[in-house]
Amino acid sequence: MADDPFENMLAQMDRATAYADIDGGVFERLKHPERTLKVTLPVELESGNTEVFEGYRCQFDSARGPFKGGVRYHPTVTQREVEALAGWMTWKTALVDLPYGGAKGGVICEPKELTDRDLERLTRRYTEGIRRMIGPETDVPAPDMNTNSQTMAWMMDTYSMYEGYTVPKVVTGKPLEIGGTPGRVAATGRGVSIVTERLFEYLERDLSEATVAIQGFGNVGSNAARLLDEAGARIVATSDVTGAAYDPDGLDVPRLTRHVEAGGPIEAYVDGDLRGAADERDGWDAPDHIGNDELLCLDVDVLIPAAVEGVITAENVNELRASAIVEAANGPTTVAADEVLTERDVQVVPDILANAGGVIVSYLEWVQNSQEFSWPEQTVNAELERRIGSAFDETIARYDEGDVPDLRTAAYTLALERTASAHEYRGLFP
Ligand code: NAD
C-alpha cells in the first residue's frame, strides 16, 4: 500500500463513505480523475546533451471550481502518485471550503543534478506541454516539492508569452514582484503550526510543555519548526534526506535554519562541520545524528511528517511513540497504519487539513490578482488563520458527533459530502 498512494487515497475515501451522506453513483465518479495528460519533454541541457524527461498534469475534479494544485519535481514521480495528489487536493479544497477543484503536476527528474538554466528550460518546456490545460479560470498550478517561486515565475512567463499579455493569475506562489502575495512562502508551515496549537487547545494540553519531531526541514518543515519554536514548543528533532539532528533539550532552530539556508545538509550540521571558532567560543554542542526511521519513533508529544508520502506504515507503526501526529506532508500515513493509530487513540490531524495553509494563501493570491490589488501580510495571515481555524473547528465538531472513528474520517466525510453535493446540483452532462 505504501508504494501506491492512489490505492491509499481510495481506501481513505472508502473508509469515510460509511459515515458520509453520498449517492453511490456520485461516489463512483469521485474515485476517477477527470483527466491526466502525460507529456514528453526533450531538453537541451547546459552540458550540451539532450535529455528526454516525462511529466504529468492530472485534473481530478472541478465540480466546485477551477482545478488547483502544485507541481512537483522528483525522481520518484509516477502517474499514480500525481493522480493521488490531485485527489487529495480535491478533498483539501473542499474541506477548507475554497471555490476550487483539485489537480497536481509532476516531472520525473533529479533537480540536484540540473543547473538553473536546465531547470528553466525544463520548466518552460513542461509549461508548453500542459499550457492547453491550464489557465487562470481553468487550472492554476503552484509550487510543491523541489519547485518554488522562481519555477512559478518561469511558468507564468511562458504562459504569458503564448497569450501575448501578462497573466499573473495563471499560477500562485509567484515572487512578490510579479503578483505574489506576502505570506505565501511560510503559509503551509504557518497552517501546520496553527492546527497544532488548536489541537493542543482541544486536548487541553499545554503546547509550551510539548516536544516535537519534524521529518523534513524544507519549506514546510522549517517554517512549522520556526513558528512552533516561537509558540514555545520544544523542537527536539528534524531531518532532511541525509538524516536527522536530535537534541532532547531542544534544537537551536534559528541556527539550524541558517545552516540549511546556506546550502548545508543536516548531516554536516550534526557532524560538526559548523563547529568553527565562533561555535566553540559560545560553547555550542552539536546535536546527535540519528536516522529518519529513528526520528519517526522518538518519544515525543507531536510528530510532524513534512517530507514525503508513505513513511508511517504497518511496518513501523507499532514502534511510533508520539501521542499526536500532524500530517504536514501529503499522504504520509498508509491506511493500514492509520487503523492501528486509531485503535491506539493517537490523534492524527490529516494532511488535507494540516497542510491546507498553502492552498488557502494561494487562493488569497489569486483573489488579489483578480482584484488587481494587494493586501498587507497581516491581512493574509489573519485570513489564513480564520479559514484553517474554521475548517479545524468543523472537523472537530464532526468528530465530536461520536460516530466517526478519527479526525481523518471526519475530515473526509465533510470533504466528500461537499464535493458530492456540488455534483448533485450540477447534474451529469449530457
Ligand atoms: P521541500 O522540497 O522544500 O522539502 C522537503 C524536505 O524533505 C527536505 O528537507 C528534504 O531533504 C526532505 N526529504 C526528502 N525526501 C526525504 C526522505 N525520503 N526522507 C526524509 N526526508 C526527506 O518540500 P516542501 O514544499 O517542504 O514539501 C514537503 C511536503 O509537504 C510534501 O509532501 C508536499 O507535498 C507537502 N506540501 C507542501 C506544500 C507547500 O506549500 N510547499 C503545501 C502542501 C503540502
Side-chain angles (χ1 to χ4, degrees), residues 115-156:
T115 65
D116 282 352
R117 182 80 190 97
D118 296 340
L119 282 169
E120 178 176 350
R121 286 191 169 183
L122 176 61
T123 301
R124 288 187 184 279
R125 187 70 198 222
Y126 173 67
T127 309
E128 197 292 315
I130 64 166
R131 86 184 156 84
R132 292 157 200 83
M133 271 176 116
I134 62 173
E137 312 298 338
T138 50
D139 181 353
V140 185
D144 191 68
M145 270 177 83
N146 294 321
T147 56
N148 54 27
S149 58
Q150 176 62 76
T151 322
M152 293 306 111
W154 290 326
M155 288 190 81
M156 188 274 252

Side-chain angles (χ1 to χ4, degrees), residues 80-321:
R80 293 283 275 185
E81 180 191 59
V82 170
E83 289 173 344
L85 289 160
W88 282 320
M89 281 305 295
T90 307
W91 317 136
K92 192 181 306 181
T93 54
L95 178 65
V96 296
D97 209 7
L98 300 176
Y100 283 142
K104 202 79 180 191
V107 177
I108 307 170
C109 65
E110 177 47 270
K112 287 198 243 12
E113 288 167 9
L114 299 172
T115 65
D116 282 352
R117 182 80 190 97
D118 296 340
L119 282 169
E120 178 176 350
R121 286 191 169 183
L122 176 61
T123 301
R124 288 187 184 279
R125 187 70 198 222
Y126 173 67
T127 309
E128 197 292 315
I130 64 166
R131 86 184 156 84
R132 292 157 200 83
M133 271 176 116
I134 62 173
E137 312 298 338
T138 50
D139 181 353
V140 185
D144 191 68
M145 270 177 83
N146 294 321
T147 56
N148 54 27
S149 58
Q150 176 62 76
T151 322
M152 293 306 111
W154 290 326
M155 288 190 81
M156 188 274 252
D157 184 71
T158 307
Y159 184 86
S160 299
M161 286 297 135
Y162 281 102
E163 293 301 301
Y165 63 101
T166 299
V167 190
K169 222 180 140 185
V170 68
V171 290
T172 58
K174 299 178 290 291
L176 283 177
E177 292 80 353
I178 51 172
T181 182
R184 175 61 183 89
V185 174
T188 308
R190 184 175 295 278
V192 170
S193 166
I194 293 167
V195 296
T196 308
E197 290 181 53
R198 294 285 178 117
L199 179 70
F200 269 66
E201 275 167 39
Y202 173 68
L203 299 174
E204 295 179 359
R205 292 172 58 186
D206 190 354
L207 187 65
S208 66
E209 286 171 11
T211 51
V212 182
I214 304 178
Q215 184 189 42
F217 200 72
N219 172 289
V220 180
S222 66
N223 281 297
R226 173 174 61 83
L227 293 161
L228 285 168
D229 186 46
E230 285 169 14
R234 186 152 34 110
I235 315 299
V236 295
T238 191
S239 68
D240 63 12
V241 269
T242 68
Y246 172 56
D247 184 343
D249 294 329
L251 295 168
D252 182 339
V253 175
R255 184 192 288 261
L256 178 56
T257 306
R258 284 196 299 277
H259 168 76
V260 171
E261 279 176 359
I266 286 187
E267 195 176 34
Y269 186 74
V270 292
D271 285 350
D273 287 12
L274 262 200
R275 270 185 250 165
D279 291 327
E280 272 163 25
R281 254 200 323 275
D282 70 15
W284 183 66
D285 234 353
D288 293 336
H289 190 191
I290 60 171
N292 266 292
D293 295 346
E294 286 171 90
L295 176 146
L296 293 172
C297 300
L298 287 173
D299 188 3
V300 287
D301 296 304
V302 192
L303 172 65
I304 303 183
V308 285
E309 59 259 29
V311 293
I312 300 173
T313 65
E315 280 74 53
N316 67 4
V317 67
N318 287 316
E319 318 296 322
L320 257 60
R321 285 179 289 166

